Amino acid sequence: MLSYILRRILQMIPTLAGVILLVFFLFKYFGDDPAEILGGLQASQEQIDSIRRQLGLDLPTWQQLWLFVKKVVTFNWGASWSTKETVSNIFATRLPATLTIMIPILILEVGLAIVAGMAVAYVRGSLTDRLVMIISTVALSISFLVYVIIGQYLFAFQLGWFPVQGWTASTWTNLLVYAPLPVMIAVLVSLAPATRLYRSFFLDEIGHDYVRTARAKGVPEKTILFKHVLRNAMIPILTNVATQLPGVFIGSFLIEVFFSIPGLGREVYAAVGRGDFPVIQAVTIYLAALTMVINLVTDVLYKFVDPRVVLK
């Protein structure tokens, strides 16, 4: 196991290097001139040249690339061009709010989708199964923005159950007061496609010979579903969670914008609008690195879920 993890980490290095090169050259040759962005419309050519020297943009390309790699490794991206706040402090202060939203969304989405998927797979072909599939199909066709507008209007303005906006320094207050509405809306959006997908996973396992053999031997249905079917279906479920996790992260960004949550997503959204390159570059590269780590953790979890899996 340890040798496999070390080998995978070594394999991640070229991939991460490719991401760094891609981000560096995209921003260098296809983005706006950072010196002109910082100088503004009224800046003279002398001021722009001075800014270019301060940023190291007058250096050869290989030296600029080396400085960029050092920023990635040391997490020293300097200060935001707009707010003058250090990028490391932006991550440290905004990331907790993002995780406060993202973790409950992930746990509730996966847990509810597994329960719903297994339930409708067990009653396949029944009226309940058909109704759930129809509702899921209709839910898939509704825009995310519609969920947000209706959720805010119904649960915040009409019923008054939750505040529309707000955030505090207390994690528990945020979880109990301000996070429930955005988390509930995000889970409702993602529950329909996840339920349909997990249902197909469970149906595939229920159709295997080992299920028919267990039933023929008189094994209780609960034991078959929760001990055998669920465990075997966890492999594709873990794969789906791993591939969707970056999407959940991005989805939490949208939630932060709509509900004015002071998280990393709202900061990235603002950085894109004002052309704040250090923030955008840092988030892009570290999100790619996070995705690679998630894939590694998922592969390791395969072994714990099913010891028959051979890690290569």
Side-chain angles (χ1 to χ4, degrees):
M1 176 70 74
L2 182 59
S3 62
Y4 170 79
I5 295 175
L6 293 176
R7 188 167 63 251
R8 283 293 304 274
I9 292 175
L10 292 176
Q11 292 172 356
M12 288 164 55
I13 295 176
T15 305
L16 184 58
V19 172
I20 293 174
L21 288 173
L22 180 62
V23 171
F24 173 78
F25 285 110
L26 281 177
F27 278 83
K28 178 174 177 59
Y29 292 108
F30 296 98
D32 295 330
D33 188 349
E36 294 181 358
I37 295 176
L38 290 174
L41 298 176
Q42 305 299 324
S44 64
Q45 187 61 45
E46 290 77 10
Q47 291 173 321
I48 292 177
D49 292 339
S50 175
I51 294 173
R52 291 182 64 84
R53 286 192 296 271
Q54 292 176 12
L55 297 177
L57 298 177
D58 59 332
L59 298 174
T61 301
W62 70 269
Q63 291 187 14
Q64 295 183 43
L65 177 59
W66 173 245
L67 293 175
F68 187 76
V69 173
K70 286 177 63 177
K71 292 178 182 178
V72 175
V73 175
T74 61
F75 205 81
N76 183 16
W77 293 86
S80 164
W81 291 352
S82 301
T83 64
K84 306 306 178 183
E85 183 180 3
T86 60
V87 176
S88 58
N89 189 63
I90 290 175
F91 272 78
T93 55
R94 278 39 164 214
L95 191 58
T98 298
L99 294 178
T100 303
I101 295 296
M102 178 183 170
I103 293 176
I105 291 175
L106 182 64
I107 294 174
L108 290 174
E109 175 195 339
V110 175
L112 293 176
I114 288 176
V115 173
M118 180 178 291
V120 294
Y122 180 68
V123 295
R124 177 187 182 184
S126 66
L127 179 60
T128 301
D129 179 31
R130 293 172 182 172
L131 284 175
V132 171
M133 289 302 99
I134 291 173
I135 294 173
S136 298
T137 303
V138 173
L140 281 169
S141 64
I142 300 175
S143 169
F144 176 76
L145 184 58
V146 174
Y147 281 97
V148 173
I149 293 174
I150 294 179
Q152 289 181 337
Y153 177 77
L154 179 61
F155 296 107
F157 291 108
Q158 291 295 320
L159 299 177
W161 291 354
F162 309 104
V164 177
Q165 297 178 352
W167 205 257
T168 68
S170 171
T171 302
W172 286 111
T173 301
N174 295 330
L175 281 172
L176 297 176
V177 178
Y178 299 109
L181 181 58
V183 168
M184 180 179 65
I185 291 175
V187 171
L188 287 176
V189 171
S190 58
L191 189 59
T195 299
R196 289 175 61 89
L197 183 61
Y198 294 174
R199 171 183 177 272
S200 66
F201 294 158
F202 290 123
L203 286 177
D204 182 60
E205 291 298 327
I206 290 174
H208 286 173
D209 291 337
Y210 74 86
V211 174
R212 288 190 289 268
T213 302
R215 285 172 174 168
K217 290 182 178 181
V219 178
E221 198 69 22
K222 290 183 179 179
T223 302
I224 295 174
L225 289 176
F226 292 100
K227 185 177 180 180
H228 302 291
V229 172
L230 178 59
R231 191 179 73 172
N232 289 322
M234 283 304 296
I235 297 294
I237 289 176
L238 283 174
T239 303
N240 177 71
V241 172
T243 56
Q244 295 296 324
L245 199 53
V248 174
F249 202 75
I250 300 299
S252 67
F253 285 6
L254 297 175
I255 288 291
E256 292 172 19
V257 173
F258 287 125
F259 287 89
S260 298
I261 297 173
L264 192 59
R266 195 175 72 166
E267 190 67 33
V268 172
Y269 179 81
V272 172
R274 63 196 180 213
D276 202 338
F277 282 13
V279 177
I280 303 171
Q281 291 171 336
V283 171
T284 302
I285 290 176
Y286 294 133
L287 186 58
L290 177 64
T291 302
M292 287 184 277
V293 172
I294 290 171
N295 291 334
L296 173 59
V297 172
T298 303
D299 289 343
V300 173
L301 288 176
Y302 287 161
K303 188 68 176 178
F304 290 98
V305 172
D306 189 350
R308 298 170 298 176
V309 174
V310 178
L311 301 177
K312 297 182 180 180

